[in-house]
């Protein structure tokens, strides 16, 4: 088993309260470094590709926060980066589970075997899966992080998992530059029938604080917010 300290080394941001990240719930957000894609529109590129430039968050501070504040939080959001790429992420989730709070994980869906395992071991309650666009556009949308064929295979597997556990998934897409209405419709058609693809508007990366208008793509890890 991997050393838990090594897993916590991937925690490079923490937000103590979000009212919008998990629809209908209050949650805190844990940001994990590293990603298997290289999307040119990424808002968390420092976290995704250069996590060592961000400070490590003290695990004890997060654990204490979860222990003391669990009563007025509805859940914990795990985001990145891409959380499914973190070695030993299951051990981290196991620790967070001790708070008794539901866990939502954001994912690009390109590691369906990890999603399957986390579901199987009941370490995640809800996956928020980002569909990037039509499969044919995945190479362009992900900085050649994944081929059209691999994107199709991975998301097809995710959709199979969602059919088996419909309560554990929802799907969203961000209207990034270059995506057309036809692209959005094509992505919607990939989903199993009962699912609606949530379309989010793209907000260009923030240049100055006054431009702040956060959505899930516009969050940045904050390292010093645990009281
Ligand atoms: S999958 Fe998400 S975190 Fe990774 S590069 Fe793309 S937008 Fe950034």
């Amino acid at each position: 088993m991997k050393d838990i300290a090594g897993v916590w080394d991937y925690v490079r941001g923490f937000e103590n309260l979000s009212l919008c990240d998990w629809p209908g719930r209050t949650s805190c957000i844990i940001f994990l470094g590293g990603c298997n894609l290289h999307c040119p529109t990424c808002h968390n590129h420092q976290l995704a590709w250069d996590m060592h430039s961000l400070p490590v968050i003290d695990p004890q501070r997060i654990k204490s926060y979860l222990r003391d504040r669990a009563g007025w939080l509805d859940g914990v959001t795990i985001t990145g980066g891409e959380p499914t790429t973190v070695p030993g992420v299951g051990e981290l989730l196991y620790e967070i589970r001790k708070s008794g709070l539901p866990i939502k994980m954001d994912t690009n869906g390109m590691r369906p075997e990890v999603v399957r395992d986390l579901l199987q071991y009941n370490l995640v309650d809800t996956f928020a899966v980002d569909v990037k666009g039509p499969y044919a556009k995945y190479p362009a949308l992900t900085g050649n992080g994944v081929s059209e064929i691999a994107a199709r295979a991975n998301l097809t597997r995710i959709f199979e998992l969602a059919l088996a556990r419909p309560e554990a998934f929802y799907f969203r897409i961000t209207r990034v530059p270059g995506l057309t209405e036809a692209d959005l419709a094509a992505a919607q058609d990939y989903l199993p029938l009962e699912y609606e693809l949530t379309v989010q508007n793209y907000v260009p990366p923030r240049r100055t604080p006054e431009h702040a208008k956060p959505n899930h793509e516009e969050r940045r890890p904050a390292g010093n917010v645990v009281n």
Side-chain angles (χ1 to χ4, degrees), residues 32 34-49 79-83 107-110 130 132 141-143 176 216-217:
L32 303 182
C35 188
N36 49 356
L37 302 183
H38 219 271
C39 309
T41 52
C42 184
H43 282 85
N44 280 341
H45 45 83
Q46 194 178 0
L47 182 71
W49 311 319
T79 192
E82 173 53 40
T107 179
N108 57 34
M110 292 298 108
D130 290 316
K132 300 292 183 186
L141 291 167
T142 65
V176 298
H216 94 281
E217 290 281 341

